[in-house]
Amino acid sequence: MAITLVPAPRAAPPPLVPKAVRGWRERLSPYAYIAPFFVLFAVFGLFPLAFTFYVALFDWNPIGDRVFIGADNFTRMFADPRFWNAARNTVSIWFLSTVPQLLLALVLAHVLNHARLRFALFFRMSVLIPYVTSVAATAIVFAQLFDRDYGMLNWVLGLVGVAPVDFVQSAVGSHVLIATMVVWRWFGYTTLLYLASLQAVPLAVYEAAAIDGAGPWQRFRHITVPSLRPVIIFTVVTSTIGGLQIFTEPLLIATGAPLTCGAVRQCQTLTLFLYEQGFGEFEFGYGSAVGVALFVVVVVIAAINYLLSTRIRADR
Amino acid sequence: MTTATARRRPHGRVRWWTYLLLSAATVACLFPLYWMFVVATSDTATATRMPPAVVPGDNFFHLVGLVLDTVPFVRALLNSLFVATAIGAGQAVLCALAGFAFAKLSFPGRNTLFLVVVLTMTVPTQLSIIPQYMIMSTLGWVDTLQALVVPGLASAFGIFWMRQHITATISDELVQAATIDGANSWQVFWRIAFPIVRPAAFVLGLFGFVTAWNDFLWPFIVLKTPERYTAQIAIKALQNSYDVDLGLAMSGSFLATAPLVVLFVLVGRRMVAGILDGAFKG
C-alpha cells in the first residue's frame, strides 16, 4: 500500500477529482447511493415512530373511528393493572435471562481465550448454533422439554424425587422457562462478543500477573472482568432493549391463551400486551400508548448507557 | 500469523476442566436441536414416553406428510428463502454502496448525514408496529412478501460496518487512479471497491439472511393467508391445529431449522470471524 510521510487530514479527504471536471451527475451521485437507506428509514422507521405518539392521543379503531382524547390513554394505562403486570413480568424475565447469560459468557470467553485450546473453532461454532435457530423453533422445543407431563426436565426432577413442576402455568416457572430460551439462544453470541474484546488484551498483562503469582481465578477476576467492562455494559444495554421486546417466546409457550400468555397473564410481556391491545382488541390508540411508554424506557436506558460509557472512558 | 495471534493470548497448560466446561456448553447447545429431531421422527406415543426416547424414530416421512397436509410448508420455506435472500443480498449491496459513498466520496453534508445514520442505530423501531401496520395497509402491502423485504433493506449498522471496511481496505490513491483513468464513481464502486470488500459484504448479508429467516413478530402481524406464510409463521399455524400431535409442531420446527443449520455448517466459520472482528457490536 502507498506510504505517505504527511499524516492524512482528519477532516473529509480532498475531492478526488477537481469539481470543475466532475459533471452534475457525478456531484449528485453520492446522494443517490445513500438515498435508499434514508428513504426506507424515513418511511418505515422514523415516520411510524412519530405516528405512534400521534395515534396514542386518540381512541383509534382500525375500522375508521377515531376520537381525540388527549392523554386519556396514558392515564388509563398507568391505572391498568394489566400494564403493570406486564411490566413486572418483563423485568423479571429480563433479569432472569441477563444475569446467567452474562456470567456464563464471561467464563466461557475467558476459557476460549486460551492460546493452546484444541478444537477452538469447533467450540466457538457450537455456541453460536443456537443463534441461528429461530425463536419460534426454540420456544416449541423448550416448551416440550419443560412440559409438566411429558417433559424431559420433569422426568429428571422426578428421578431425584421432585414433584412435577407446571412451568407454563406458574408465574415464576414460566419466567424461568422464557429466560432459559433467551439465555440458550444468546449466550454464545455474547461469549463471542466478549472474546473479541478479550483478544485485544495484551498477553503481557496476563504474563506479568502469572509471574506475580496470580492464579487462574485471580487472573479472571482482576484482568478479564475489568478489561471487559465496556462490552459488558454494552451487552447489558442491548439485552435490556431486547428484553423489552420479548414477544415470540411467551406467545408460543402458552398454547391455550397465547395473547395473554396464560389464564392469569402470568407471562404476558409488555410487547405482547401491546400486540394484544392493538391487534387482539383493535385498540390502536391504547396499544400505541404502550409503544410510547416502551420507547421512553429505551431512550432512558440508551442515555444511561451513554453516560456510563463516557464515565468509563474518563476513568482511564 | 498464527504465532503472532497466539502469542497475544494466555498460554500454559489447558486444564482438564476447561474441556469439561466447553463440552458441557456444546452439549447444552446441540441437545435441544437433537431432541427436536428425535421427536420429529417419532410417533406421539414415543414422544411422550417416560423415560424419554433418545434415539430418532422412523416416523419422519409420515410426519412431514402430515405437516404438508396441514399448511403449505414447502411454499412457506420458499417464501422464507426468497425474503431472507432478498434482504441479505439487498443489505450487502445497498450498505456497501452507501458505505462507499461515506468513505470515499466527498459531498456537502456528508458528516452530518453519517451522524444521522449512526444515530438511527439507537432508534427502536419495533415498538411502533401499529403505525407500521397502518402504513402497509395504506400501501396495500398487507399479506404480501414485499412488506417484509422492503423495510428490511435499510440497515444503519450495515452502512456503518461497510464504511469501516472500505476505509480500512481501499486506499484513496487507488480510487484516485481509477478516476484519473476516466471511471465515474459508479464504475469505481462496482469494478474496484465492491470486489475488494465482497467478503465483508457477504458476512453482513449472512447475518441479514439469518435474522430475516428467523423473524417472527413482523411476519406474524402482516401475513394472513397460508400461501404467504414464512416458515416461522407456518410453525405457529401447526401449533394451532387442535389435532394434538407433538411430532407435528416439532417436524415443522425441524424443517424450518434444518436449512439454517446446513448453512451454518458451511459458513459458520465466517460468521464467527465476523463477530470476532468486532463487527457485530450493534
Side-chain angles (χ1 to χ4, degrees):
Chain A
M1 286 293 134
I3 298 165
T4 47
L5 295 174
V6 188
R10 296 292 307 213
L16 300 169
V17 178
K19 274 215 173 96
V21 182
R22 300 159 75 197
W24 62 273
R25 277 166 157 266
E26 271 297 278
R27 264 179 281 131
L28 289 184
S29 61
Y31 298 105
Y33 302 159
I34 62 173
F37 169 79
F38 284 96
V39 171
L40 290 174
F41 181 74
V43 176
F44 299 111
L46 204 57
F47 176 71
L49 193 64
F51 208 58
T52 301
F53 283 77
Y54 178 73
V55 177
L57 301 174
F58 288 79
D59 182 0
W60 193 306
N61 184 298
I63 316 295
D65 292 346
R66 64 201 64 165
V67 182
F68 182 81
I69 54 168
D72 279 10
N73 279 326
F74 292 97
T75 43
R76 178 181 161 201
M77 183 177 74
F78 288 125
D80 190 343
R82 297 173 304 177
F83 172 74
W84 293 110
N85 169 64
R88 267 193 308 276
N89 289 343
T90 306
V91 172
S92 163
I93 292 166
W94 165 76
F95 185 81
L96 288 171
S97 54
T98 303
V99 175
Q101 185 191 157
L102 199 137
L103 295 175
L104 197 58
L106 266 178
V107 172
L108 287 175
H110 181 75
V111 302
L112 278 171
N113 193 34
H114 205 292
R116 288 201 199 153
L117 185 73
R118 285 159 177 266
F119 317 115
L121 182 69
F122 170 75
F123 288 128
R124 287 171 187 181
M125 280 180 69
S126 298
V127 294
L128 202 58
I129 272 267
Y131 170 81
V132 303
T133 310
S134 73
V135 196
T138 307
I140 286 165
V141 175
F142 277 74
Q144 152 70 10
L145 286 170
F146 280 67
D147 189 81
R148 185 191 60 191
D149 303 315
Y150 309 118
M152 192 178 283
L153 183 65
N154 270 319
W155 175 73
V156 174
L157 289 175
L159 292 182
V160 293
V162 178
V165 182
D166 196 338
F167 283 96
V168 175
Q169 296 308 325
S170 73
V172 179
S174 58
H175 296 184
V176 168
L177 169 53
I178 293 169
T180 307
M181 294 185 237
V182 176
V183 172
W184 183 74
R185 228 167 85 77
W186 288 101
F187 83 89
Y189 185 86
T190 310
T191 300
L192 293 182
L193 279 189
Y194 289 180
L195 181 61
S197 238
L198 267 191
Q199 294 191 341
V201 178
L203 172 65
V205 178
Y206 279 98
E207 273 178 344
I211 290 166
D212 290 346
W217 165 250
Q218 284 168 318
R219 290 199 293 264
F220 175 72
R221 168 78 186 75
H222 295 291
I223 303 173
T224 298
V225 175
S227 44
L228 288 182
R229 218 160 58 149
V231 68
I232 290 171
I233 290 177
F234 171 81
T235 51
V236 169
V237 171
T238 48
S239 87
T240 310
I241 294 170
L244 287 171
Q245 300 175 18
I246 285 181
F247 172 84
T248 313
E249 296 93 333
L251 180 81
L252 287 174
I253 60 166
T255 42
L259 291 194
T260 51
C261 193
V264 293
R265 298 173 182 270
Q266 65 268 23
C267 47
Q268 190 183 42
T269 56
L270 280 167
T271 311
L272 195 55
F273 182 59
L274 192 169
Y275 179 86
E276 184 203 9
Q277 292 310 311
F279 297 96
E281 308 285 329
F282 300 113
E283 295 224 37
F284 275 9
Y286 192 48
S288 294
V290 179
V292 169
L294 282 169
F295 176 76
V296 170
V297 176
V298 170
V299 168
V300 168
I301 292 164
I304 293 172
N305 175 45
Y306 176 75
L307 292 175
L308 275 176
S309 43
T310 42
R311 274 270 306 255
I312 283 175
R313 255 178 249 132
D315 279 353
R316 278 186 182 168
Chain B
M1 186 63 201
T2 322
T3 30
T5 333
R7 217 179 277 140
R8 290 171 54 199
R9 284 189 258 146
H11 56 262
R13 204 155 51 85
V14 183
R15 313 291 177 106
W16 61 270
W17 50 259
T18 298
Y19 290 107
L20 187 70
L21 184 71
L22 289 172
S23 305
T26 301
V27 170
C29 287
L30 300 181
F31 179 75
L33 294 174
Y34 174 72
W35 177 243
M36 187 196 284
F37 182 65
V38 170
V39 180
T41 52
S42 312
D43 53 56
T44 308
T46 319
T48 57
R49 196 181 65 198
M50 290 293 147
V54 285
V55 288
D58 53 6
N59 213 21
F60 183 61
F61 293 103
H62 171 68
L63 279 174
V64 169
L66 274 182
V67 168
L68 300 183
D69 286 346
T70 314
V71 285
F73 211 90
V74 174
R75 184 67 190 269
L77 287 171
L78 291 174
N79 288 343
S80 279
L81 184 67
F82 169 74
V83 169
T85 308
I87 288 180
Q91 277 190 6
V93 172
L94 285 181
C95 293
L97 188 55
F100 170 73
F102 281 122
K104 292 294 164 194
L105 306 178
S106 64
F107 50 95
R110 184 178 76 157
N111 293 343
T112 316
L113 288 170
F114 187 67
L115 185 68
V116 173
V117 171
V118 173
L119 282 177
T120 60
M121 279 197 263
T122 61
V123 179
T125 53
Q126 270 159 322
L127 306 177
S128 44
I129 46 174
I130 291 173
Q132 281 167 19
Y133 180 82
M134 292 158 85
I135 290 170
M136 290 305 166
S137 187
T138 310
L139 292 173
W141 286 9
V142 171
D143 204 18
T144 64
L145 295 181
Q146 72 254 35
L148 311 185
V149 172
V150 176
L153 297 173
S155 165
F157 165 74
I159 293 177
F160 177 77
W161 192 44
M162 289 314 301
R163 178 183 173 269
Q164 300 296 97
H165 267 273
I166 290 168
T167 308
T169 53
I170 297 163
S171 70
D172 285 347
E173 287 79 0
L174 185 62
V175 178
Q176 214 153 11
T179 318
I180 288 164
D181 288 345
N184 62 33
S185 64
W186 179 251
Q187 289 164 329
V188 174
F189 173 73
W190 275 115
R191 304 234 178 108
I192 296 165
F194 193 69
I196 294 175
V197 292
R198 203 158 42 198
F202 179 73
V203 174
L204 178 71
L206 274 180
F207 277 87
F209 182 96
V210 169
T211 308
W213 181 281
N214 289 332
D215 194 16
F216 184 87
L217 174 57
W218 184 236
F220 181 65
I221 289 174
V222 169
L223 303 177
K224 308 286 177 194
T225 49
E227 281 69 32
R228 306 272 163 71
Y229 284 171
T230 59
Q232 309 308 326
I233 310 307
I235 294 178
K236 168 70 182 148
L238 288 173
Q239 203 200 25
N240 281 347
S241 64
Y242 289 96
D243 168 27
V244 182
D245 192 334
L246 266 177
L248 194 65
M250 218 61 120
S251 301
S253 302
F254 176 76
L255 290 177
T257 307
L260 276 213
V261 172
V262 171
L263 178 76
F264 187 75
V265 169
L266 297 174
V267 295
R269 179 193 288 258
R270 295 173 76 169
M271 291 179 72
V272 169
I275 298 174
L276 290 183
D277 268 354
F280 286 91
K281 295 183 184 177

